Each structure stands twice: as structure tokens, then as C-alpha cells.
């Protein structure tokens, strides 16, 4: 993703095959969100398995990112 191009860049993560999420993965999501925000953009996680969405919800991250099932 080129965050210097376009008006509002979006980072899109396809989580369709994601089966496990630990602190490192959460850190990558937060880092991507921070980078997108720094450039006036957003972060979207698509095809999010319900189990992983629940983890992000418990951590309060679903208010920051667009989590699509």
C-alpha cells in the first residue's frame, strides 16, 4: 500500500484464512492503523472470522478499524 498516493489511503487486510491471532498480530494491526491514520487513511480487515473478530472486540480495536465479516 502506497500511503503517499491518493486522498485517503486504505490498508485492507484479507483475514479469510486467519486462524490464530497473538500479541504480535495485534501489534501489526495497530501499527497498520497508526500508519494509515498518520496519512489520513483507514484500515479495513475483511473476511474476519468470528472468533478473531471477538478478540479484536474484547481489545477495543473494533472501534478503530473497519472489521468486516
Amino acid at each position: 500500500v502506497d500511503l503517499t498516493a491518493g486522498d485517503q489511503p486504505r490498508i485492507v487486510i484479507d483475514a479469510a484464512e486467519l486462524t490464530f491471532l497473538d500479541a504480535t498480530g495485534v501489534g501489526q494491526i495497530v501499527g497498520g492503523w497508526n500508519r494509515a491514520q498518520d496519512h489520513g487513511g483507514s484500515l479495513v480487515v475483511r473476511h474476519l472470522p468470528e472468533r478473531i473478530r471477538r478478540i479484536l472486540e474484547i481489545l477495543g480495536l473494533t472501534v478503530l478499524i473497519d472489521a468486516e465479516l
Side-chain angles (χ1 to χ4, degrees), residues 2-61:
D2 182 2
L3 293 175
T4 60
D7 294 331
Q8 292 185 329
R10 279 179 30 165
I11 295 175
V12 179
I13 299 171
D14 184 348
E17 297 185 32
L18 187 64
T19 60
F20 177 80
L21 184 67
D22 64 4
T24 301
V26 171
Q28 291 296 311
I29 292 172
V30 171
W33 179 82
N34 282 328
R35 186 164 179 201
Q37 289 292 298
D38 288 346
H39 295 278
S42 61
L43 181 119
V44 177
V45 182
R46 290 193 175 147
H47 309 121
L48 193 60
E50 179 61 30
R51 187 174 115 179
I52 304 298
R53 186 201 60 78
R54 182 73 181 126
I55 292 169
L56 296 177
E57 185 177 88
I58 289 168
L59 295 172
L61 296 178

